[in-house]
Each structure stands twice: as C-alpha cells, then as structure tokens.
C-alpha cells in the first residue's frame, strides 16, 4: 500500500492557494463575461445533469483541482478500490461496494475468490424471498400473507433502506408496507409495532456484525412482542416449539455473521449474507436492502443496482476533467480547505428524498470525519464537513436565511427531477412547476444576490437597505434528473459515495473505517450497571456523570 501524499505539499495545492488568494468571487460578472460559462461547467453522469457553473470556480481553478487529484494519485487509489485491494487499512479489508452492482458475467477475484458469482447468488436468494412475500406464498404462522415488513437495524443497516424506501414510494406494492426500527429508545419499537398485526408482520433483522446492541435489543423486543401477541390471541400454543415455529415464519436476518444469526434463533436458511468488504454505510445495495427489494420488487431493485453501476462506470472510466463525482469531491475540498467551509447543505427539491440528507450524514461524516491518515500520521489539513439539509421548499422557510445572508459560507447541492410523482394542478398552475421555479430561483438568488442599488430602486427606505442586500456568490451545484426512478436513486447514491471517496483520497484518510463510534459504545456498556442502580459502578464515574445518573434515578418512577 502506497503512503498517502500530503496534499498541502503538492504543486497543485500551491497553485490553488494562489488562485484562492487572487480570487474576487463575482458570479454576476463571470456569467456576464462568459455566455458559455454554464455550458463549460455542466457535465453528464449517467442520467444526472450536473451544473457546476454557479460554483466559485474558473477554468484555472478546475484544472488546478484536477492536477491536485493527479498529484494525490486519485486514479491509482480509485483503481485499487475497484480491484479489491485492501484500501481499508485499519481493518485490513477490501472496499468493494462497487462489486455489489456489477452485472452477472463480470468477474472480480479478491483474496483468491471471484466475488461476483457470490454476489449474484445472494441477490437471487433475496429476490426469491421478495417474490414469495409479495406473491403471498410466504405466510405467517397462522397462514396469512405478510402485509408489513419491519427492518430492524441501525446506521448503515437502517439509513439506506429507510431512505430508499421513502424515495421510491410510488414503486411500493400496494397492500405492502415497510417500517424501520433503529433507535434503542424503547419508544421506537413500541410505536412502530403498536398498530401491527403480528400474524401479517415479518421482521428483517439487519446487522452486518450481528453484535450491535441497539439492533439485538430491538430484535429481542420484537420477538417478545410477536410471541406475546400470538399467544394472547391463541394463534400459537405456549412452549418453545411453537415459539420456534413462529420465529421461523416471522423473522429473517441479513448479516455477515451467519453463526450469530443462528445463535439468535433465526434459521440460517432464512438469512441473507454479505461480506466484510461491504462497509455498513455502503450496504443498501447488498442484502441489507432486502426490505426495499420486498417493497419495490426484484425488477425495480435490479434497476436500482443498474443506476449505481452506471455511475461506477462513469467514475472508473471518465477522465478526471469531466468526471462528475471526482469534480464534486474536489470542489468540496476547495471549499473546506481554502474557503474554510465547515458544512455542506444538500437540498432535495423532491419530497420523496426527505431522508437523503440524513443518509448522507452517515455516508460522508462517518467516512471522512478523521484526524489521522491511513498510515497513522496526523492529517495535514482540515477534513470532513457537516452534511445537512431538508427538502425544498421547507428549508427555504427555515434555514435559507443563514445561507443567503449569514456570515458562513455554506456550499449547497440542489437536487430536482423534471417529472413529479404526482402531477397536480392548482387551477391553471402545474404545482411541480411552481416547486421547480423555487429550485431555479434559489440557486440564482444565492449566486447573483441583490445589490444595494437594486434594493433602492424598489423604493426601499435607506435605513433598511443594508438588511435587504443579498451579497450573492454563494456556491451551489444543481443536479437534475428526469424522474425519481429506482435507477436514478441508485445513481444519486453512487454519486455521493464517489464524492466522499475522492475527498478522502485528497486528505489521505481511510474513508472506510469508523473507530470514532467505538468509545461511546464501550462506555455505554460500562455505565449501564450504574444506571441500573449499582453504586460501586456509579462511584467510578466522573462527578458530572454521577450527578446526571443520580438525577435520573431520583426522577425515575
Ligand atoms: O455506528 C457504527 C456502525 O458500525 C456503522 O458503521 C454501522 O452501519 C452500524 O454501526 C450498524 O452496524 P451493524 O450493521 O453491524 O449492526
């Protein structure tokens, strides 16, 4: 494994520093001076139309960013990832989410095994299961078909499935719903099951490791809920045999640890495997997406995977100067490292993408929130951004004020589709067009702002002119697609996966481990006895934690 290149020592970094220092952002002037600016900075990846022209770039900046990518060996690192080299060095693993969407007939030998036939074997098993549930062939313990699948998982075993399920609502089979239990707050399991019929409910326990406290606790709670309800109604007898029979009909699992699945009491026949080379936050396209495959069906799921694959090919094969994920990743580096942007907004103008920003938070922040490089040495520059967002136009009436007129630079990605899921009209107005008018207006307002003279020309009293000035020059990227289909949702996810990868390569970090979440997990286990009343354990805590736990114990009824 090569050593990470310190990006700050490269000639491209020096050039970018000079370009940054010499830049006077002027999107109004730049657009006025160059009628082809939009064309020059618009790129196509798969079905995605990506306009970078409202970013704070010119041809020199873009070419220096591409040089930076060359000088940190982005292409070699990318190729190493696609080839299955162990680029996740701290866990000594290949990083092969891209293999999950390679079509049948591809071949990729990793550590002596061709992984593609294995991928398709599992996919076939997931699809066969999905068909059985969808057709009513899979029945619960009392012979009724399944109407609700409940995915129990957290992090990558939840955020991807729930986001995609929400995004693809129009593709969900009528009469079938999915729910998602993730939080160990008992409210989650209680609320999500309270109106369900156990006879028609099937739980999918999704956990890569099958050791995650939240997921295993919730799975046990769900099993208790199922058996208690079935016994109360007389649907099953008391006793272990009846319980085993009911669990076999109402629980399946997805994991890389099939031995642990069996130990939990789920028949390995009803389990779908995957591999340690799939990171949790990169796993929605593995068997972790089983709840989605059931809901939208195998054909749509296959289209979803084809969307990922189209962007994988684009990322793997397109020269960097027009490689959309690479350019977007490099732009993020430009803003984080030169403009000191600490956050990045993702603003989908598509209600069905309402969980997309939450999904991206894990993808980007668990991947790139690192302070050491993959050789263990400290990073040499800032890494990572806070990703956040809400669907437009809700965000407009909440936090856009800060983006337009606040003191921080917040680069933003705006995402919209041409064809709505629900083409409603309000009188003579096509409501989707009103919606998209907002999408177009916001990026224009952010880019071009409004000068004091323009404000005055509207007759605004002088005293409030400053408050009504919009400085403009707020960078945005506009991503458009024909419609929110399974394919395009796959394309969007793969786009951000490769953006995240590109940033990680520049910073020299391992974007595929997540040691930062471990300490809190360990401490929770240590503190649990203190919370339950063990005074000795309580005495070992710091004074703040002791007081907080004492307060809890004094208040708990
Ligand atoms: O939060 C840490 C993490 O390991 C994530 O990376 C992962 O997606 C999540 O926990 C769930 O893990 P598992 O699928 O093993 O239950």
């Amino acid at each position: 494994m090569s050593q990470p290149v310190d990006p700050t020592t490269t000639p491209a970094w020096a050039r970018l520093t000079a370009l940054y220092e010499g830049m006077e952002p002027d999107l109004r002037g730049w657009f006025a001076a160059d009628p082809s600016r939009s064309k020059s900075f618009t790129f196509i990846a798969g079905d995605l139309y990506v306009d970078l022209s409202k970013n704070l770039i010119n041809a020199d900046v873009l070419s220096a960013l591409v040089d930076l990518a060359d000088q940190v060996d982005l292409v070699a690192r990318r190729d190493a990832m696609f080839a299955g080299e162990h680029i996740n060095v701290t866990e000594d693993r290949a990083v092969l989410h891209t293999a999950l969407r390679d079509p049948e007939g591809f071949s990729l030998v990793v550590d002596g095994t061709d992984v593609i036939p294995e991928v398709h074997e599992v996919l076939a098993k997931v699809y066969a299961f999905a068909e059985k549930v969808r057709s009513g062939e899979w029945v619960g313990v009392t012979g009724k078909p399944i109407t609700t699948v409940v995915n129990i998982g957290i992090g990558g075993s939840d955020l991807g499935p729930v986001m995609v399920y929400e995004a693809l609502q129009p593709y969900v089979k009528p009469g079938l719903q999915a729910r998602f239990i993730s939080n160990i707050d008992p409210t989650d399991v209680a609320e999500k099951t309270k109106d369900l019929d156990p006879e028609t409910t099937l739980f999918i326990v999704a956990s890569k490791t099958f050791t995650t406290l939240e997921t295993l606790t919730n799975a046990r709670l769900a099993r208790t809920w199922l058996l208690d309800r079935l016994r109360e109604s007389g649907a099953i007898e008391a006793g272990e045999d009846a319980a085993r029979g009911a669990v076999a009909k109402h629980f399946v699992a997805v994991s890389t640890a099939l031995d642990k699945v069996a130990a939990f009491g789920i028949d390995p026949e009803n389990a779908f495997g995957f591999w340690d080379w799939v990171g949790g936050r990169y796993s929605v396209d593995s068997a972790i997406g089983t709840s989605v495959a059931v809901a939208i069906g195998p054909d749509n799921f296959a289209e979803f995977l084809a969307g990922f694959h189209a962007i994988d090919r684009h990322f793997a094969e397109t020269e960097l100067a027009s490689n959309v994920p690479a350019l977007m990743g490099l732009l993020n580096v430009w803003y984080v490292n030169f403009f000191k942007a600490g956050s990045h907004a993702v603003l989908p103008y598509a209600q069905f993408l309402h969980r997309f920003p939450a999904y991206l938070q894990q993808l980007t922040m668990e991947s790139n929130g690192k302070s050491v490089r993959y050789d263990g040495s400290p990073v040499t520059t800032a890494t990572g951004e806070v990703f956040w967002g809400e669907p437009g136009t809700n965000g407009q009436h909440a936090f856009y004020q800060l983006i337009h007129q606040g003191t921080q630079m917040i680069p933003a990605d705006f995402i919209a589709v041409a064809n709505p899921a629900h083409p409603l009209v309000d009188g003579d107005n096509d409501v989707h067009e009103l919606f998209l008018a907002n999408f177009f207006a916001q990026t224009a307002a952010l880019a071009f702002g409004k000068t004091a003279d323009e404000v005055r020309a509207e007759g605004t009293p002088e005293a409030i002119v400053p408050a009504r000035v919009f400085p403009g020059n707020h960078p945005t990227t506009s991503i458009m697609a024909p419609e929110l289909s399974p394919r395009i949702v796959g394309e969007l996810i793969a786009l951000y996966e490769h953006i995240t990868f590109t940033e990680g390569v520049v910073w020299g970090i391992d974007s595929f481990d997540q040691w930062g979440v471990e300490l809190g997990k360990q401490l929770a286990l240590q503190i649990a006895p203190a919370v339950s009343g063990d005074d000795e354990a309580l005495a070992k805590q710091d004074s703040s934690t002791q007081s907080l736990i004492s307060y809890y114990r004094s208040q708990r009824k």
Side-chain angles (χ1 to χ4, degrees):
M1 180 63 55
S2 58
Q3 293 303 296
V5 177
D6 176 353
T8 66
T9 63
T10 59
W13 196 273
R15 173 105 185 96
L16 285 164
T17 305
L19 287 166
Y20 168 72
E21 284 167 357
M23 177 175 270
E24 286 175 18
D26 181 16
L27 284 166
R28 272 192 188 217
W30 295 343
F31 271 88
D34 177 7
S36 63
R37 180 177 170 89
S38 154
K39 195 157 174 267
S40 312
F41 293 128
T42 295
F43 302 90
I44 305 290
D47 297 286
L48 306 177
Y49 177 95
V50 181
D51 180 357
L52 304 181
S53 67
K54 294 194 186 90
N55 281 285
L56 302 183
I57 50 171
N58 51 37
D60 288 343
V61 170
L62 217 55
S63 97
L65 286 170
V66 169
D67 288 347
L68 175 65
D70 280 335
Q71 290 163 20
V72 298
D73 289 337
L74 174 63
V75 167
R77 297 280 296 163
R78 175 197 69 190
D79 294 349
M81 174 175 75
F82 276 95
E85 283 181 35
H86 285 210
I87 65 165
N88 177 354
V89 285
T90 72
E91 296 179 309
D92 191 17
R93 287 177 183 166
V95 173
L96 271 179
H97 43 281
T98 53
L100 296 168
R101 47 266 191 157
D102 275 342
E104 253 176 321
F106 270 49
S107 165
L108 181 62
V109 177
V110 177
D111 305 328
T113 309
D114 188 349
V115 299
I116 306 300
E118 291 188 359
V119 164
H120 284 274
E121 217 173 282
V122 174
L123 259 183
K125 192 172 171 189
V126 169
Y127 289 170
F129 167 72
E131 280 300 8
K132 273 192 187 166
V133 175
R134 290 166 65 80
S135 66
E137 188 188 334
W138 183 293
V139 290
V141 69
T142 57
K144 291 188 183 166
I146 300 301
T147 58
T148 306
V149 287
V150 182
N151 186 81
I152 302 177
I154 196 164
S157 301
D158 167 72
L159 288 162
V162 71
M163 182 276 282
V164 176
Y165 175 72
E166 292 294 317
L168 296 177
Q169 276 300 306
Y171 296 84
V172 173
K173 184 180 166 76
L176 197 56
Q177 63 162 340
R179 290 195 184 175
F180 298 87
I181 295 173
S182 53
N183 203 333
I184 199 171
D185 181 339
T187 304
D188 204 14
V189 71
E191 287 292 320
K192 302 266 175 58
T193 53
K194 72 179 182 195
D195 58 344
L196 291 181
D197 176 355
E199 296 181 43
T200 59
T201 299
L202 186 138
F203 293 96
I204 301 174
V205 185
S207 173
K208 177 174 168 179
T209 54
F210 230 76
T211 57
T212 304
L213 179 71
E214 291 87 340
T215 300
L216 293 191
T217 306
N218 280 328
R220 282 191 296 271
L221 290 172
R223 184 169 56 187
T224 303
W225 171 86
L226 178 91
L227 297 176
D228 286 354
R229 295 290 178 288
L230 291 173
R231 284 175 185 141
E232 274 161 26
S233 68
I236 62 167
E237 306 280 309
E240 266 313 296
D241 280 354
R244 245 192 312 275
V247 168
K249 295 282 188 187
H250 293 269
F251 273 81
V252 299
V254 181
S255 186
T256 58
L258 296 182
D259 50 333
K260 296 197 175 81
V261 170
F264 182 86
I266 297 176
D267 183 348
E269 271 304 298
N270 295 336
F272 308 98
F274 63 115
W275 307 269
D276 69 3
W277 40 258
V278 183
R281 53 197 175 272
Y282 298 86
S283 66
V284 63
D285 47 342
S286 71
I288 288 290
T290 297
S291 53
V292 176
V294 171
I296 67 172
D299 290 348
N300 285 320
F301 199 83
E303 269 297 295
F304 173 59
L305 297 183
F308 280 92
H309 185 66
I311 298 300
D312 291 344
R313 294 329 312 155
H314 170 91
F315 184 54
E317 291 162 4
T318 309
E319 53 161 5
L320 293 182
S322 47
N323 189 312
V324 175
L327 291 176
M328 288 181 70
L330 292 164
L331 273 177
N332 291 354
V333 168
W334 174 234
Y335 294 127
V336 170
N337 295 131
F338 294 89
F339 290 83
K340 312 294 177 217
S343 86
H344 191 109
V346 179
L347 308 167
Y349 279 65
Q351 183 60 30
F352 282 138
L353 284 177
H354 69 110
R355 293 290 294 168
F356 194 52
Y359 168 78
L360 290 182
Q361 287 185 329
Q362 188 200 16
L363 175 66
T364 59
M365 291 157 74
E366 203 167 74
S367 295
N368 286 340
K370 312 279 165 71
S371 306
V372 291
R373 297 188 293 166
Y374 65 77
D375 65 349
S377 62
V379 294
T380 57
T381 185
T383 65
E385 315 99 294
V386 175
F387 275 77
W388 58 284
E390 282 289 326
T393 57
N394 297 8
Q396 288 176 212
H397 293 273
F399 51 78
Y400 278 37
Q401 166 67 37
L402 186 146
I403 306 182
H404 280 286
Q405 288 188 313
T407 54
Q408 305 180 31
M409 173 199 267
I410 302 179
D413 299 344
F414 281 69
I415 304 171
V417 295
N419 293 291
H422 298 287
L424 301 182
V425 290
D426 173 29
D428 291 339
N429 291 321
D430 177 325
V431 180
H432 188 63
E433 290 182 354
L434 282 177
F435 185 38
L436 286 201
N438 279 276
F439 168 83
F440 298 122
Q442 285 298 326
T443 57
L446 286 164
F448 308 125
K450 196 174 195 181
T451 64
D453 284 344
E454 286 167 344
V455 176
R456 281 188 199 103
E458 289 172 342
T460 306
E462 194 58 32
I464 58 168
V465 167
R468 300 193 60 178
V469 167
F470 288 72
N473 295 318
H474 294 294
T476 63
T477 292
S478 298
I479 303 170
M480 296 199 70
E483 66 202 334
L484 204 59
S485 62
R487 184 181 183 91
I488 284 165
V489 172
E491 292 186 15
L492 282 171
I493 299 173
L495 172 69
Y496 280 90
E497 286 176 349
H498 299 319
I499 290 171
T500 303
F501 175 75
T502 300
E503 294 185 65
V505 170
V506 174
W507 292 322
I509 58 186
D510 180 343
S511 297
F512 301 99
D513 61 12
Q514 56 284 319
W515 298 107
V517 294
E518 289 306 316
L519 179 60
K521 288 187 196 172
Q522 283 166 12
L523 287 184
L525 291 177
Q526 270 174 33
I527 290 176
V531 181
S532 324
D534 177 338
D535 288 330
E536 216 174 295
L538 184 63
K540 288 188 189 143
Q541 307 305 322
D542 64 85
S543 61
S544 163
T545 306
Q546 283 191 35
S547 318
L548 290 166
I549 293 173
S550 300
Y551 172 80
Y552 159 72
R553 277 162 55 177
S554 70
Q555 294 299 311
R556 176 67 192 262
K557 296 187 183 85

